[in-house]
Amino acid sequence: MATIATASPLLDDTFMPAYPDDQAQAQDASIITPITPSTPVSEEALVPEGFDDTDSEHDNELSPRPQHVTQRRRLQNSIFSAWLSKRAEKITKEEVKAVIQNADDEVLSIRNLMAKQESNVIIGDPREYQIELFERAKKQDIIAVLDTGSGKTLIAVLLLKHVLELELENRATGRPRRVAFFVVNCVTLVFQQFAVLECNLNQKIDRFCGDMNTDLWTKSVWDKHLQDNMAIVCTAEVLYSCLLHSFISIDQINLLIFDEAHHAKKNHSYARIIKDFYIAEPDFNKRPKIFGMTASPVDAKVDVVQAARELETLLHCQIATTADLSLLRTSISRPTEHVITYSQLQLPYMTALCSQIHDKFKDMESLSRLLRCAKEATSDLGEWAADHLWSLALTDEEAKKIERDVEHTFLSEKEQRPVEVLNKTVARVREVKEIVNHHTFSPLSFEGNGVSSKVICLYGYLNSVFERPTDARCIVFVKQRYTARLLAEIFKRIGSPHMKLGLLIGTSSVEAGDLKFSVRQQVLTLMKFRKGDLNCLFATSIAEEGLDIPDCNTIVRFDLYSTLIQYIQSRGRARHRNSKYIHMVEEGNRHHVQAVSDVRKNEDILRNFCEALPADRLLLGNDYDLEEALAKERTYRTYTDPKTGAKLTYRSSLAILAHFVGSLPHDREATLRASYIMSIEGKQHVCEVILPEISPIVSVTGRPSSRKAIAKCSAAFEACLKLRKGGYLDSNLLPIYHKQLPAMRNAHLALSLKTTNVYDMRVKPEVWEQTWGVIPTELYITVLDVKDAEALNRPSQPLALLTRFAVSSLPSFPLHLRPGTASEVSCMPLTNRMKLTDSMLRRLTSFTLRIYKDIFNKTYEINETNMSYWLAPLINYQPADLPTYEPRSLIDWPVLDYVHENEEILWTIDMPVEDLSNRYLIDRWDGGRRFFSVGLAPGLSPGDPVPEGSAAHKYMDTILDYTVSLFSKSRARATWRNDQPVLLAHRVLHRRNWLDDWNEAEQSVKTLSYLCPEPLKFSALPTTVAAMGYLFPAIIFRLEAYLIVLEACTKFGLSVKPELALEALTKDSDNTEEHKTEQVHFQRGMGKNYERLEFIGDCFLKMATSISLYAQNAGDDEFESHVKRMLMLCNANLFKTATKLKLYEYIRTQGFSRRTWYPEGIKLLEGKGHKKTGKEVFKHHLNDKTIADVCEALIGASLLSYKDTGDMDMAVKAVTIFVSSEDHTVEKWDDYYKLYKLPAYQTATSTAWQVDLAAQVERLHSYHFSYPRLLHSAFTHPSYPSGIGRDRIPNYQRLEFLGDSLLDMACVNFLFYRYPDRDPQWLTEHKMAMVSNKFLGALSVKLGFHRHLRLLSSSHIHLIQEYVTEITEADAESNGARDYWTTTKNPPKCLPDIVESYIGAIFVDSEFDYQEVERFFEAHVRWYFEDMSIYDTFANCHPTASHQTRPTFLSNLLTLNFGCTNYRLMSDELPTIIEGAPIRVIAVVMVHGEIITEGVAASSKYAKLKASSTALEMLTGLAPFEYRIQYRCDCSDKKAEDGGEVSPVQEMMGSAI
């Protein structure tokens, strides 16, 4: 029975607290913006003296509601902004360039790579020998052979100026445009040579290298660069790729300058440019001029003259040097050469530390190089260095690098071993590190072999050089990187105090345990070396060629050169006057003596050769026969496109095919690549290349070859030919898809994630306004009742909501009447209408407007034609009999009559005591003060002080002062009876948002009050009505939200349960989709948001579109189906449709607002806002992806609304509405099968083999195939011949495409209903396990499907056999463990594919009966996942985990392990320093206001990934108490203060994940 709730007359102090209206308004403004026409009005005009026109929502005494999250985020934003500004200041133009040089793959450009070595000096006054060679270069193609530092680049500049002047003249006469190319061997030289040319040429030039992703550029991009520039500096690979794709032809180049031309040999890009394109141009007049530069044409231990002649022949140039070498010698200082001999070295041996490591870990490949280097170091450097090498190579960072390399090697193995093997190997690496950490290293000593004789010799010489302060500069050349590092460490300890040491080594990828050295470090080192901050560098060969190094006084060859060019180039660094070049030679070492002798002799031979060459000789008669060399290559086929001239060669086909594969459309979790499978036929290697299944061509076999590399190239070449023939490579040999598919492929990423778009938002249902304009003659009643009304702590009675239309049945929803508990509000509509008389309507109107005035301090005009609804008190009723009640009989008419007839209850001094209790009292001058009286307060009079413990007020002197809220002047004029009684009452603190739980401030507010009755208004509203009236704003707010979302569904033609419709259209924060992160502008009390519905709706969308495409497009291959599906379900398409439907108007982004719940249509006469005119228009901010996500959520709501019956028709209809595509037009599930036209192969008579196959498989899963040929198709691998005509059985790819989406849906259904409180990220991570190839491969073997797979690839058969053996053994040894499959290597992909294709086959065979899919899931899949907790870490091992779950693991670590809640992952774009610079994003992890890690990348996603990964490495392993101390974290303490307890165990150990 619904009764008027009663309670003790003395109320709790915590009754109905509220927060100030101004604070709430500030909250609302951050999300919702009301726009109204208004006229500025002065504050004095609004509030006359003596009257406080404050709404009842306002409470001056109550402190603002704590905004911990908002305040914290503002503080974090401020800290991040200040930090970002300082960080950006440090990122100078030069640093930008250096950082990008070493950036990860996601960085798209290194255009602005820092290169401090760039010279800004304009070269002038060329020397005589430079002019001589320039003049020769003008007349003929030459290779200028000059020492390092002799100014070869100036000759190139002079030649470029000359050629560009001729080019301008040629263009003026109408000849075709041609461009000069300055080609270099490495990225560093691109920027170095560009800087020189830019300063010395007055024509437009540019620079390019592979790190700028030039391989992804199209012909149109290159055409623009060629149009804009007269000269281009680039790496040889860039130019070669351009020529291959025919972006440029050789006749469009007027000059080719080869820097370090000695690299032009074998298959270097220099050589390939000449062999494949220069020679291929038959018209000599169209060939470009060639100019080569080198210090020596020889860079290997070969016959000097023969090598020089081969270089001449290949480059079609003459080697040239100055005719008078004396000029060169007078212009360029040459060093004095000395040989220093050191005592004979000991043979390499192992120190005690090395022996200990060797004996225990010699089988570890990852340590083999370190063991070898340590052993060699004992001889070259001494024992101290050998042992110290381990401490350098096994620092924390380097040890982690070794662990990563071990893991990479393990995962890259063709035959994968159990993951335990990897764990053991990593544990052994850590054990080695512990051995090194605990080793006692001996101090550096010259005794014994602590330091080798070679080092002692160097020590003696360097100390003599740096005996006193000096401006001298020295470079010590070594062969090995570790030697340079160890020498630097040694001389830090024993070197002269005037020696300023530095390290200069290469930037190429290094092995684990080695030091990574970036271009930025190189540049900074050389800057310091140039300025004198460093004066002694230990350098590898990187200092010999390329870098712009200052002139040195001393060059020491600690390790001798290997080739003539190393000798010449390193000697060229000693260009200072009186410089010295030191050869360090071991005593009695004939090899060292011979090396010194050989380089000197070969240099003389080379010089004599160059001097003896006649300038006018022809390039004929050389022993090197270029034709013979080219004839060998002509055995390899080439293809030249007849339209563009683009050239396909054996070697280029690998890169072209990889580019094509990468361009295929695929989802974010996939990594596409071509697989090369080698086999032996006879004595020849045969390679088959397998492309991804979405490729239009899946498998191609190359021609046999005696060499594996050539066989691999042959397969790639054949594949490229087929792709070109099929039109999948264009005439430039570029994939056709990159022009049309990136928007589809990246559809989820293409929409804006920033809240920059402003849309209209509905705050009232349209139905209110639609019923205005007439005086109603009948109304419908909806009963509003609270099931647990006692939670109000005072009597209350239900209310009736009377509307002009019948309100549909709406779900109950919770109100938080007490802290920590919720009471359900029921909204029960009556079916019968209530006829009205004029008298009844007047009383209803009077009562409703009195509720607004007395409770909420709003006075509205009486306008019954525009009232949306009315309120009325109800009598007691029996809920079970409610449908039988006559509507009029439910209303408490006596209360209505009393309120209608009485504005208030007048107080008199004679009023009986019983009439003073249980009254609703109103402060006449303060709209925020309302009270429920309890009774008389005996012993108190108006002049007494206000008792302690009373609710706060601005006047607290006496009880009378406390009662009156007049302003000071009016208070002075007012007179009151001193003999009036004092009442005990409780102040009503207006807690509007009952939809949200109580906060701390609301629970602690005092309400006890002592009042004098005379100044107060005694409301005619019974306290039972007033108590229920306070709940009405929250109730009507939720009811209107239901009505708005139902109107949306009606508009779209969907019939959805109200609670699900509201959930689907609710976005409760700016970053709703970011899980386990602090929510921005979180709107409390909104209920469930769209996340989970979007998760299941997305899955159904994928399934529905897959079924529709399969049914309608029998001729499509899997690739075409993927593309069409992507076009339908991509966010861009959903957003486009939703925008047309104006879905954005119905999305709920605003929590309860005390500004929007009031009725519209009737004019506000008094109260806040009464000056506003016109209808308010509300706006809200939404990002595009949110709107697309809500479409998917509505699909999910349409599905779940009928889950009890299993009817999916409404969800199918929703898909049709939101994809708005001709590829999905059905509105009922059964219509899918009506679209399907059975193909001939399916209905043809089955063979005995096919019938037998169906019978065998039926024993594995109890499904009988009506069409066994479908099953045949489901088990046919793409490599198997498909036959012809009706006997053509297609491979399993289309069925797998269908089955994949069906299995996804079954798995998502299971997780969604089994775990109703889990967020989408958890569901996604755990779905990974259920649909992973690893699990499905194991299931395939468990069901025996692998035995029926039809394929002709012997390599696949072998891989399957290996996997079957491994997974079978794992199953047998698992003792019934359901996750045994996680311990094995990944299966061949064909095994999981046939599980999905089988599911697709039973679905099609059963005439699209989804129950068959669920039956398969229940029979064979569910058992493995009854306990999902065993797969909690599976996502971490998944290939996509690094992209999707790193931030999640960091969140878990901080929240669960450390109990920290004050952290944030933030990102922002770095300010652009240089015009045209690439967009870069920096992300940080902030803990308690301190930025602990950062990450920079081209996108926010990858920047956050970097920052999260670094933070994980930094924090993993810390104990909770260590974390709290280090980061001053008091979150756990605050939690304990809030009522949570922290046990001693938790204090010491923390909680476990």
Side-chain angles (χ1 to χ4, degrees), residues 927-1120:
R929 299 183 80 208
R930 301 287 191 273
F931 306 89
F932 286 118
S933 66
V934 177
L936 288 178
L940 294 177
S941 63
D944 290 343
V946 179
E948 291 187 7
S950 299
H953 186 42
K954 53 189 174 184
Y955 303 111
M956 299 288 289
D957 291 341
T958 66
I959 293 175
L960 184 57
D961 285 334
Y962 180 80
T963 306
V964 179
S965 296
L966 286 170
F967 291 163
S968 55
K969 291 182 180 179
S970 299
R971 295 172 68 86
R973 294 194 299 266
T975 58
W976 311 101
R977 297 179 66 106
N978 291 323
D979 59 346
Q980 61 183 305
V982 173
L983 303 180
L984 174 65
H986 281 276
R987 181 175 175 181
V988 182
L989 299 182
H990 303 290
R991 185 175 191 272
R992 288 287 186 275
N993 192 7
W994 296 94
L995 296 165
D996 182 25
D997 205 351
W998 298 51
N999 60 33
E1000 294 178 22
E1002 291 171 335
Q1003 297 181 51
S1004 60
V1005 173
K1006 298 176 181 178
T1007 64
L1008 192 65
S1009 302
Y1010 294 87
L1011 307 169
C1012 295
E1014 185 181 9
L1016 300 177
K1017 172 182 176 181
F1018 283 57
S1019 174
L1021 292 175
T1023 56
T1024 54
V1025 169
M1028 190 67 180
Y1030 277 106
L1031 305 183
F1032 180 69
I1035 294 172
I1036 194 63
F1037 178 82
R1038 178 56 56 85
L1039 292 185
E1040 288 181 333
Y1042 280 136
L1043 294 175
I1044 290 170
V1045 297
L1046 288 177
E1047 285 178 354
C1049 292
T1050 301
K1051 176 180 178 180
F1052 305 148
L1054 299 176
S1055 177
V1056 179
K1057 289 184 176 180
E1059 62 271 29
L1060 292 173
L1062 181 58
E1063 182 179 343
L1065 284 156
T1066 295
K1067 177 180 174 64
D1068 56 9
S1069 69
D1070 287 358
N1071 56 336
T1072 296
E1073 62 283 341
E1074 295 180 16
H1075 310 288
K1076 299 190 177 180
T1077 60
E1078 201 168 37
Q1079 298 298 288
V1080 179
H1081 293 138
F1082 177 66
Q1083 300 293 294
R1084 307 183 66 86
M1086 292 189 73
K1088 296 179 180 179
N1089 61 40
Y1090 67 77
E1091 291 178 297
R1092 280 175 55 88
L1093 289 178
E1094 183 258 336
F1095 171 73
I1096 197 169
D1098 174 75
C1099 188
F1100 186 88
L1101 174 62
K1102 176 184 175 182
M1103 180 183 71
T1105 51
S1106 300
I1107 296 171
S1108 180
L1109 287 169
Y1110 184 90
Q1112 294 183 84
N1113 302 284
D1116 286 356
D1117 59 21
E1118 186 194 20
F1119 166 70
E1120 291 172 328

Side-chain angles (χ1 to χ4, degrees), residues 498-750:
H498 307 298
M499 189 183 295
K500 304 167 188 175
L501 301 173
L503 196 63
L504 187 60
I505 57 179
T507 62
S508 58
S509 57
V510 295
E511 297 185 32
D514 205 348
L515 176 68
K516 184 176 181 181
F517 211 77
S518 67
V519 170
R520 180 174 182 273
Q521 289 172 290
Q522 288 179 351
V523 171
L524 291 176
T525 299
L526 290 175
M527 285 171 56
K528 293 177 182 178
F529 192 56
R530 184 174 288 109
K531 291 188 297 184
D533 295 339
L534 301 176
N535 58 16
C536 183
L537 297 181
F538 295 99
T540 57
S541 60
I542 187 65
E544 295 172 352
E545 172 183 311
L547 297 179
D548 183 14
I549 296 179
D551 297 348
C552 296
N553 305 77
T554 304
I555 298 296
V556 179
R557 291 295 322 200
F558 184 81
D559 292 326
L560 293 179
Y561 23 75
S562 299
T563 62
L564 173 60
I565 197 168
Q566 284 188 330
Y567 164 63
I568 293 174
Q569 289 181 329
S570 61
R571 187 187 64 195
R573 297 305 185 188
R575 297 194 295 269
H576 204 277
R577 289 189 177 278
N578 302 318
S579 58
K580 295 179 176 58
Y581 187 82
I582 308 300
H583 309 256
M584 290 188 61
V585 175
E586 184 182 15
E587 182 181 356
N589 190 323
R590 290 179 299 171
H591 297 293
H592 283 190
V593 175
Q594 187 66 41
V596 176
S597 174
D598 285 348
V599 293
R600 289 174 171 173
K601 180 180 69 175
N602 287 335
E603 186 182 23
D604 290 339
I605 294 172
L606 179 62
R607 184 181 301 112
N608 293 335
F609 169 78
C610 294
E611 290 176 344
L613 294 175
D616 57 350
R617 77 195 192 286
L618 299 176
L619 294 175
L620 299 174
N622 287 347
D623 294 337
Y624 178 65
D625 189 343
L626 181 60
E627 281 300 315
E628 182 180 346
L630 292 176
K632 296 178 181 178
E633 296 193 1
R634 291 191 181 114
T635 60
Y636 307 142
R637 292 173 300 148
T638 63
Y639 164 80
T640 303
D641 190 275
K643 180 180 178 182
T644 64
K647 191 170 185 177
L648 177 70
T649 67
Y650 260 35
R651 297 187 184 279
S652 68
S653 60
L654 294 169
I656 290 173
L657 187 59
H659 188 188
F660 171 80
V661 170
S663 72
L664 292 172
H666 56 281
D667 60 40
R668 290 168 290 176
E669 297 184 4
T671 301
L672 301 185
R673 62 182 179 182
S675 300
Y676 293 90
I677 300 173
M678 204 71 64
S679 59
I680 302 290
E681 292 184 7
K683 295 185 178 180
Q684 299 277 76
H685 296 283
V686 177
C687 182
E688 178 190 10
V689 59
I690 307 294
L691 303 185
E693 293 164 355
I694 60 174
S695 170
I697 295 173
V698 177
S699 173
V700 180
T701 301
R703 297 183 178 183
S705 174
S706 58
R707 295 173 56 195
K708 282 186 177 181
I710 301 302
K712 181 178 180 181
C713 290
S714 174
F717 185 85
E718 295 290 346
C720 289
L721 283 182
K722 287 193 175 185
L723 291 169
R724 179 69 188 106
K725 184 177 180 181
Y728 302 108
L729 289 177
D730 66 13
S731 57
N732 290 111
L733 303 182
L734 292 175
I736 62 171
Y737 306 117
H738 77 284
K739 295 179 181 178
Q740 54 183 312
L741 291 185
M744 307 171 206
R745 178 159 51 111
N746 297 322
H748 286 289
L749 303 179

Side-chain angles (χ1 to χ4, degrees), residues 1240-1275:
Y1241 89 87
Q1242 179 179 335
T1243 58
T1245 303
S1246 301
T1247 65
W1249 176 85
Q1250 291 164 347
V1251 172
D1252 181 64
L1253 171 66
Q1256 290 187 55
V1257 174
E1258 187 174 351
R1259 290 193 287 270
L1260 305 174
H1261 173 66
S1262 58
Y1263 177 81
H1264 179 77
F1265 271 88
S1266 301
Y1267 300 101
R1269 294 170 68 89
L1270 267 177
L1271 185 59
H1272 182 176
S1273 176
F1275 287 154

Side-chain angles (χ1 to χ4, degrees), residues 246-529:
S246 197
F247 296 147
I248 188 172
S249 58
I250 201 72
D251 63 351
Q252 291 178 278
I253 303 174
N254 52 28
L255 174 62
L256 269 177
I257 299 176
F258 291 105
D259 193 19
E260 308 295 351
H262 53 269
H263 290 296
K265 58 183 181 180
K266 297 182 180 179
N267 281 306
H268 190 278
S269 295
Y270 282 3
R272 295 254 56 96
I273 290 170
I274 299 297
K275 292 177 182 179
D276 294 342
F277 300 101
Y278 182 86
I279 296 174
E281 175 53 64
D283 188 345
F284 285 18
N285 294 322
K286 292 185 177 180
R287 292 180 178 179
K289 175 177 278 297
I290 292 179
F291 177 68
M293 303 186 297
T294 183
S296 167
V298 184
D299 69 343
K301 291 182 178 180
V302 294
D303 182 273
V304 173
V305 175
Q306 178 66 18
R309 287 175 174 169
E310 289 180 3
L311 184 64
E312 278 190 322
T313 306
L314 178 62
L315 290 182
H316 291 65
C317 296
Q318 291 183 357
I319 287 177
T321 189
T322 178
D324 186 355
L325 289 176
S326 62
L327 291 174
L328 181 60
R329 295 189 184 102
T330 57
S331 301
I332 304 297
S333 297
R334 292 282 292 273
T336 304
E337 298 190 38
H338 300 273
V339 175
I340 297 180
T341 304
Y342 53 89
S343 302
Q344 192 168 7
L345 298 173
Q346 293 191 25
L347 292 175
Y349 62 93
M350 290 190 178
T351 65
L353 174 60
C354 192
S355 296
Q356 181 184 1
I357 295 173
H358 176 269
D359 293 344
K360 196 167 184 179
F361 306 102
K362 59 186 175 185
D363 59 318
M364 293 184 64
E365 186 177 346
S366 56
L367 298 179
S368 60
R369 187 185 67 86
L370 290 175
L371 286 166
R372 184 182 71 254
C373 292
K375 185 177 180 181
E376 292 172 356
T378 56
S379 175
D380 262 3
L381 303 174
E383 282 195 9
W384 185 90
D387 284 348
H388 200 70
L389 173 64
W390 291 100
S391 64
L392 291 178
L394 290 174
T395 61
D396 290 346
E397 182 179 352
E398 295 301 319
K400 288 176 183 176
K401 188 192 300 181
I402 294 176
E403 291 179 15
R404 288 195 294 268
D405 285 357
V406 166
E407 182 177 359
H408 177 75
T409 302
F410 176 83
L411 296 175
S412 301
E413 291 175 350
K414 186 175 180 181
E415 300 181 6
Q416 296 236 334
R417 296 168 289 169
V419 73
E420 286 76 10
V421 175
L422 172 62
N423 294 338
K424 289 179 181 178
T425 306
V426 171
R428 295 182 75 195
V429 172
R430 294 175 181 174
E431 187 178 352
V432 175
K433 184 177 183 301
E434 286 302 308
I435 290 174
V436 174
N437 287 345
H438 291 90
H439 180 75
T440 303
F441 291 92
S442 303
L444 184 61
S445 170
F446 286 85
E447 300 295 328
N449 193 39
V451 178
S452 71
S453 59
K454 188 176 181 181
V455 175
I456 292 173
C457 177
L458 179 64
Y459 165 75
Y461 182 78
L462 291 182
N463 270 14
S464 67
V465 172
F466 297 102
E467 181 180 3
R468 297 177 182 277
T470 177
D471 293 330
R473 292 182 178 86
C474 170
I475 299 179
V476 180
F477 279 98
V478 299
K479 286 185 179 179
Q480 304 291 340
R481 297 163 64 91
Y482 77 84
T483 305
R485 294 180 68 190
L486 290 170
L487 283 176
E489 292 294 327
I490 290 171
F491 278 87
K492 282 180 184 176
R493 292 163 172 79
I494 65 173
S496 162
H498 307 298
M499 189 183 295
K500 304 167 188 175
L501 301 173
L503 196 63
L504 187 60
I505 57 179
T507 62
S508 58
S509 57
V510 295
E511 297 185 32
D514 205 348
L515 176 68
K516 184 176 181 181
F517 211 77
S518 67
V519 170
R520 180 174 182 273
Q521 289 172 290
Q522 288 179 351
V523 171
L524 291 176
T525 299
L526 290 175
M527 285 171 56
K528 293 177 182 178
F529 192 56

Side-chain angles (χ1 to χ4, degrees), residues 1240-1433:
Y1241 89 87
Q1242 179 179 335
T1243 58
T1245 303
S1246 301
T1247 65
W1249 176 85
Q1250 291 164 347
V1251 172
D1252 181 64
L1253 171 66
Q1256 290 187 55
V1257 174
E1258 187 174 351
R1259 290 193 287 270
L1260 305 174
H1261 173 66
S1262 58
Y1263 177 81
H1264 179 77
F1265 271 88
S1266 301
Y1267 300 101
R1269 294 170 68 89
L1270 267 177
L1271 185 59
H1272 182 176
S1273 176
F1275 287 154
T1276 300
H1277 190 266
S1279 65
Y1280 198 85
S1282 60
I1284 58 175
R1286 292 176 63 85
D1287 291 330
R1288 181 186 180 278
I1289 303 291
N1291 65 51
Y1292 62 57
Q1293 289 182 327
R1294 288 194 74 240
L1295 286 171
E1296 182 261 332
F1297 167 80
L1298 176 62
D1300 167 74
S1301 64
L1302 293 166
L1303 178 61
D1304 252 22
M1305 191 71 231
C1307 294
V1308 166
N1309 269 334
F1310 169 75
L1311 291 172
F1312 190 90
Y1313 294 118
R1314 190 178 181 91
Y1315 301 98
D1317 299 322
R1318 293 292 190 175
D1319 65 51
Q1321 184 155 322
W1322 185 95
L1323 297 172
T1324 299
E1325 291 168 2
H1326 288 73
K1327 189 194 78 170
M1328 282 183 185
M1330 304 179 76
V1331 298
S1332 66
N1333 286 340
K1334 206 163 191 177
F1335 167 68
L1336 295 179
L1339 182 62
S1340 180
V1341 174
K1342 189 74 171 180
L1343 293 173
F1345 284 178
H1346 63 286
R1347 301 189 187 96
H1348 307 294
L1349 178 61
R1350 294 169 68 82
L1351 76 168
L1352 290 181
S1353 171
S1354 58
S1355 57
H1356 275 79
I1357 294 172
H1358 175 69
L1359 293 174
I1360 291 171
Q1361 289 172 343
E1362 286 186 339
Y1363 176 75
V1364 169
T1365 300
E1366 181 180 355
I1367 194 68
T1368 303
E1369 290 176 356
D1371 187 11
E1373 297 170 2
S1374 66
N1375 295 321
R1378 304 188 186 202
D1379 62 343
Y1380 70 89
W1381 54 271
T1382 62
T1383 63
T1384 66
K1385 66 183 179 184
N1386 289 324
K1389 190 172 183 302
C1390 56
L1391 294 182
D1393 283 352
I1394 58 177
V1395 173
E1396 293 174 334
S1397 63
Y1398 175 79
I1399 293 172
I1402 60 175
F1403 178 76
V1404 174
D1405 190 79
S1406 64
E1407 300 183 358
F1408 292 15
D1409 185 356
Y1410 181 72
Q1411 290 185 358
E1412 288 297 337
V1413 178
E1414 291 186 319
R1415 195 166 70 85
F1416 179 89
F1417 176 87
E1418 292 292 329
H1420 305 293
V1421 178
R1422 179 174 181 141
W1423 178 83
Y1424 293 90
F1425 301 102
E1426 289 290 353
D1427 180 9
M1428 289 303 298
S1429 64
I1430 61 178
Y1431 302 107
D1432 283 345
T1433 60

Side-chain angles (χ1 to χ4, degrees), residues 137-190:
K138 285 165 60 176
K139 299 174 184 177
Q140 64 186 104
D141 296 345
I142 67 169
I143 304 169
V145 179
L146 295 173
D147 278 358
T148 301
S150 58
K152 296 186 290 294
T153 303
L154 172 56
I155 303 172
V157 170
L158 295 174
L159 183 59
L160 260 172
K161 285 183 176 181
H162 169 72
V163 170
L164 296 185
E165 287 172 3
L166 292 178
E167 172 64 20
L168 290 173
E169 292 178 8
N170 290 336
R171 293 183 184 181
T173 60
R175 295 186 184 181
R177 296 175 62 92
R178 303 178 85 191
V179 178
F181 275 83
F182 194 120
V183 187
V184 299
N185 184 50
C186 64
V187 172
T188 309
L189 287 175
V190 170

